[in-house]
Amino acid sequence: MSGPGQFILGLGLAASMMAALFLVALRIRNFSIVDIAWSAAFTPLALLYAALGEGYGARRVLIAVLVTLWSLRLAAHLYGRIAALHPAEEGRYVQLRREWAAKLNARFFLFFQAQGLLAVLLSVPFLLACIDGRRSLGPFEIAGALLFAIALAGEAVADRQLAAFKADSGSRGRTCRAGLWRYSRHPNYFFEWLVWVAFWVFAWPSPGGWATIYCPLLMLFFLFRVTGIRMTEEQAVRSRGDDYRDYQRTTSAFVPWFPKP
């Protein structure tokens, strides 16, 4: 199947998955599961492209494995976090319920579909790698895989450090400053972004792969301006007040760096 044909098939797959999971969210009354759905959606997309692509087999397998490792780890982590709160929703979605109360279900349905569309747009590097006919792995694929390993490890460590902090009963109302969180207010988001840089590097030598620079740039935009840092920090200030404001004053927002005195 051609690349455009696979892309259209991916759109249909993502739209169907998100529609089904929207119905699940309605049934359990928890829209937070959209985060799990978005993370997990990349696995079937990558497997679809790897199965239907006509490119070099080792490249198709490698990109599918990398995407699946990242996608399912993140989905499992989010599932644990959201399940621990259920039936309550995460603060960001409680706030959206208030803001979208007049047309709640319609707006959340569109939100789920937008997440599906975003997943397909971000999956283009995987698609291009899977239709790349070059018969060997080159330095870009190797560099991308190594950068991916660093990014995945960093994201997993940051998530574990935050989970351990939250599990401590004495941490209620306080801000995590342990480990990587001492050097960045959002180390998990930083390494998440680095994962997308790695996917771009991997896809670079594939036909048109260089143009997928939009993926890490788009991810950066969403992390800073849409559902990531902005909403997370607004909720943190509402719940932790001056403790979090002091954290904002002393700690890098994104790239890990030494804290200010």
Side-chain angles (χ1 to χ4, degrees), residues 38-47 67 70-71 118-119 122-123 126 196:
W38 181 82
S39 304
F42 289 95
T43 292
L45 287 170
L47 294 177
V67 174
W70 163 77
S71 169
L118 177 61
L122 289 172
S123 72
F126 322 148
W196 289 98

Side-chain angles (χ1 to χ4, degrees), residues 6 70 213 243:
Q6 291 182 54
W70 163 77
I213 183 64
D243 182 67

Side-chain angles (χ1 to χ4, degrees), residues 222-242:
F222 273 88
L223 287 174
F224 271 90
R225 298 296 183 185
V226 187
T227 61
I229 291 173
R230 181 182 65 84
M231 292 183 70
T232 299
E233 296 215 337
E234 287 174 356
Q235 177 61 26
V237 169
R238 283 193 294 268
S239 61
R240 279 171 262 158
D242 288 341

Side-chain angles (χ1 to χ4, degrees), residues 2-249:
S2 67
Q6 291 182 54
F7 182 80
I8 293 171
L9 194 58
L11 284 172
L13 177 63
S16 300
M17 288 189 298
M18 287 299 178
L21 287 164
F22 172 75
L23 296 177
V24 173
L26 285 179
R27 184 174 180 83
I28 67 174
R29 299 185 180 184
N30 193 329
F31 287 118
S32 300
I33 68 167
V34 69
D35 291 342
I36 305 170
W38 181 82
S39 304
F42 289 95
T43 292
L45 287 170
L47 294 177
L48 175 73
Y49 301 149
L52 298 181
E54 298 179 353
Y56 182 47
R59 183 177 296 108
R60 287 156 50 202
V61 170
L62 180 55
I63 191 62
V65 168
L66 297 183
V67 174
T68 300
L69 285 173
W70 163 77
S71 169
L72 295 186
R73 188 216 70 85
L74 182 57
H77 168 74
L78 293 172
Y79 174 82
R81 189 176 78 189
I82 291 167
L85 290 172
H86 186 72
E89 291 175 311
E90 289 195 324
R92 292 175 297 161
Y93 294 101
V94 172
Q95 184 65 24
L96 286 176
R97 275 186 179 274
R98 297 191 187 106
E99 294 175 4
W100 294 350
K103 297 181 179 179
L104 184 70
N105 289 346
R107 289 190 175 186
F108 264 112
F109 176 79
L110 291 176
F111 185 76
F112 271 67
Q113 288 298 310
Q115 294 297 301
L117 175 60
L118 177 61
V120 176
L121 292 175
L122 289 172
S123 72
V124 170
F126 322 148
L127 172 58
L128 295 181
C130 288
I131 63 176
D132 186 348
R134 290 176 302 116
R135 305 305 296 175
S136 64
L137 295 174
F140 280 93
E141 285 98 346
I142 295 170
L146 291 174
L147 181 58
F148 170 86
I150 293 169
L152 186 68
E155 188 176 14
V157 167
D159 285 340
R160 284 199 300 268
Q161 289 171 342
L162 183 60
F165 175 81
K166 289 182 175 181
D168 182 354
S169 59
S171 67
R172 187 174 180 82
R174 295 169 50 229
T175 300
C176 178
R177 292 175 170 86
L180 292 169
W181 299 85
R182 171 176 168 80
Y183 304 100
S184 170
R185 300 201 300 270
H186 304 281
N188 53 341
Y189 288 156
F190 171 74
F191 286 109
E192 169 72 11
W193 173 72
L194 207 60
V195 165
W196 289 98
V197 174
F199 289 147
W200 170 59
V201 171
F202 190 101
W204 175 281
S206 299
W210 62 271
T212 62
I213 183 64
Y214 76 83
C215 292
L217 292 178
L218 188 60
M219 182 57 63
L220 203 62
F221 171 76
F222 273 88
L223 287 174
F224 271 90
R225 298 296 183 185
V226 187
T227 61
I229 291 173
R230 181 182 65 84
M231 292 183 70
T232 299
E233 296 215 337
E234 287 174 356
Q235 177 61 26
V237 169
R238 283 193 294 268
S239 61
R240 279 171 262 158
D242 288 341
D243 182 67
Y244 196 80
R245 293 187 185 94
D246 182 66
Y247 186 55
Q248 289 176 309
R249 181 186 64 80

